[in-house]
Amino acid sequence: METIQYILKSAGILSLFYLVYIFLLKKETHFTFNRLFLLIGVLAATIFPFIQFTKTLIIETPALASFPSTETASETLSSAAFNTNYSIENILLYIYVLGVIIFSLRFIYQFISLFILLENHPYKLSNNCKIIEVSESISPFSFFNYIVYNPTLHTSNELAMILAHEKAHIEQLHTIDVLASNLLLIIQWFNPLAWGYKSSIVENLEYLADRTTITRINSKKEYQLALLNTSLASPLSAPTNKFYNSFIKKRIIMLNKANSNRQNAFKAMVVVPLLTIFLWGFNVNEVKKYVEIPSENNKVKTENIKEKALQPVLDKKNIAVITGIEPVTESIGQKTPQAMAKKQSPLQETYRVKINKNTTDASLQEIKEEVKSKYGLELSYAAIRNNLNEITSLTLTYTGNGNNGNYQVSQDKGIDEFFFFIDKDGKTGFWSEAVEKRHKERMQRRKLKSQERSLDMNKRKMEMQERIQKRKMEIEKRRSKMKNTHPTPSASPNNEAQEVQGQTKAKRQINKNKKAGNTLYFIDGIASTKKQVELLLPENIDKVNVLKSEKALKKYGGKGVNGVIEITTKK
């Protein structure tokens, strides 16, 4: 993970320098200053990711009360750790390393081809420059103090200008810039801005050599024609200074451009605040420092802790002794009356050790030996680490002096820091800020869910009351309608007999089912109560259908176990 962070920070810093160059400096003719700016960008991208700043965050914590001797503390933060060799970070790292290998092999191949060319041809020494004439159709180039060209492709006048140009590269050590840009590209092959950065370095070097050359020759126009003529040859694919480049047009434009104002170079200073913001945002490590706040009943100051209690763990390892943190959990069911009495009296710790993902096995072993020799506790541990040597799973178990407990934590990206403490009465426990935070979040979520359930129940209750009220209104409306539309028929012998017979049958069926308990009633297909049925006028009843046992169960399911009475009124 640290390797990936370094690569990304390096790419970010290089991108800052490149964007400042493109938007503020590229069109200026301060070629020497631009060369220095671009080289500083390469150095900054290499060195600055290693620079780290420390920000101390002070956390105030209340004084600690005692912890029951039979307590058992256990907290599992996540599921069991899986094989981190297949994590996303490692996959990205493997892809990056593969790219570095490929581009490194490409760079080595170019170097070997260049050295074979230099070794297979004799050279002539001229003013500390080794001049090599070749028969291959390649563009003239220089490499350190070597100048290579094909004399048959150029006139004597062109050769003079070519040699002047390449000697300018040699005198100003431009090969170093080219090599630095190629090495940078190997490291940041994935960064598209790094490719542009390399091109900008090479382009600016050509501007520098062109400016130097035209001061040593007679005709600027002939030099520009020579640039065009050499474009017909094929350039050698190697980290060299080539006389011909694909940006011939830009070189000619820069040759004819007036010198820029010197004050324009100060525009490069804009990179300073940008770089400061970048470093402050990504290179600051936050260190938490815990400070104990004594309660009203606990006036013991942290400075009264014996210096001797601090000495065992004040070393350069990832261990620190502090005071004043509450334990993670405690087993209430195992408390004795004596322990409850001690709980009410304020106490202070004498030993506290911090453990995090970077704690080494040697540090864990030292803690184990220390608590055994000084406090008589048998401490055992089992740690699982990833390929970055970070702890992803840790189990701690301790016994002795009437105390026993364990703590288990497992996290894929490395465990959160936690503390193992011993108070002055020998009581032990664990505490973790991350666990406390998650506990508060869980409680908050439970509270919100409880409120949501309560609101939902109230809403359902209101809806039920509205439905009941609506049903009552419908029944009353139907009764009123039946009274108006179905007056009592005239008393003829047949009608009177049928009416008496219907009334008698309905009442008999209703009275027969009074003892049935939870009998279902339906008036015109609408579920009704027994009281609503009793309010019906017998003359308004058309027919009564009684369903028992299997028929009721078949039609109405379990609700019809006590029978069903279906009443149809006269329309």
Side-chain angles (χ1 to χ4, degrees), residues 64 118 181 211 424 525:
L64 177 70
L118 298 179
S181 64
R211 277 297 173 97
K424 70 177 185 179

Side-chain angles (χ1 to χ4, degrees), residues 137-155:
S137 177
I138 59 175
S139 176
F141 68 87
S142 62
F143 180 75
F144 285 108
N145 63 336
Y146 284 91
I147 299 176
V148 180
Y149 64 93
N150 186 340
T152 61
L153 299 178
H154 313 285
T155 64

Side-chain angles (χ1 to χ4, degrees), residues 1-2 5 84 356-359 383-393 411-415:
M1 187 64 182
E2 292 180 358
Q5 289 179 356
T84 57
N356 57 32
K357 64 182 180 181
N358 296 316
T359 302
I384 298 176
R385 299 179 182 272
N386 57 22
N387 58 345
L388 299 177
N389 203 33
E390 296 174 339
I391 299 177
T392 57
S393 180
Q411 289 178 287
D412 299 336
K413 295 183 179 180
I415 63 172

Side-chain angles (χ1 to χ4, degrees), residues 487-522:
T488 304
S490 58
S492 64
N494 293 334
N495 290 339
E496 185 176 354
Q498 291 176 358
E499 179 181 336
V500 171
Q501 184 179 1
Q503 295 175 6
T504 304
K505 183 177 180 181
K507 289 183 177 180
R508 184 168 61 249
Q509 293 297 341
I510 293 171
N511 293 333
K512 187 176 181 181
N513 286 275
K514 283 184 179 180
K515 301 179 181 180
N518 297 325
T519 303
L520 295 180
Y521 297 92
F522 287 88

Side-chain angles (χ1 to χ4, degrees), residues 526-544:
I526 299 174
S528 307
T529 63
K530 184 178 179 181
K531 291 182 179 181
Q532 293 172 340
V533 173
E534 292 176 349
L535 292 175
L536 287 175
L537 296 175
E539 59 269 19
N540 293 331
I541 298 176
D542 183 30
K543 65 177 180 178
V544 177

Side-chain angles (χ1 to χ4, degrees), residues 540-557:
N540 293 331
I541 298 176
D542 183 30
K543 65 177 180 178
V544 177
N545 185 26
V546 179
L547 301 178
K548 299 181 180 179
S549 62
E550 295 182 359
K551 291 183 178 180
L553 291 173
K554 183 177 180 181
K555 186 172 183 179
Y556 294 97

Side-chain angles (χ1 to χ4, degrees), residues 322-452:
I322 64 172
T323 60
I325 309 297
E326 294 181 356
V328 177
T329 58
E330 55 184 352
S331 180
I332 298 176
Q334 296 179 347
K335 287 185 179 179
T336 61
Q338 294 80 0
M340 293 294 291
K342 290 182 180 180
K343 179 79 174 179
Q344 297 173 356
S345 60
L347 298 173
Q348 184 154 350
E349 300 172 37
T350 59
Y351 179 81
R352 177 178 291 275
V353 61
K354 178 176 72 174
I355 301 173
N356 57 32
K357 64 182 180 181
N358 296 316
T359 302
T360 62
D361 290 334
S363 300
L364 292 173
Q365 185 64 27
E366 185 175 338
I367 297 171
K368 176 180 178 180
E369 295 173 355
E370 183 179 8
V371 297
K372 180 177 181 181
S373 61
K374 293 195 173 185
Y375 303 100
L377 291 178
E378 292 288 342
L379 180 67
S380 60
Y381 64 89
I384 298 176
R385 299 179 182 272
N386 57 22
N387 58 345
L388 299 177
N389 203 33
E390 296 174 339
I391 299 177
T392 57
S393 180
L394 178 65
T395 302
L396 286 174
T397 304
Y398 66 88
T399 56
N401 297 333
N403 293 325
N404 65 84
N406 64 80
Y407 185 86
Q408 183 178 358
V409 58
S410 179
Q411 289 178 287
D412 299 336
K413 295 183 179 180
I415 63 172
D416 292 324
E417 67 179 23
F418 67 93
F419 302 87
F420 173 67
F421 68 88
I422 303 174
D423 64 24
K424 70 177 185 179
D425 285 346
K427 303 302 184 294
T428 57
F430 298 91
W431 183 89
S432 170
E433 181 184 4
V435 172
E436 288 296 313
K437 182 179 179 181
R438 280 189 286 271
H439 175 71
K440 291 180 181 179
E441 291 176 351
R442 286 197 298 269
M443 295 303 295
Q444 185 66 20
R445 287 196 297 269
R446 290 178 183 176
K447 184 178 179 180
L448 292 175
K449 287 183 179 179
S450 177
Q451 293 175 349
E452 291 175 357

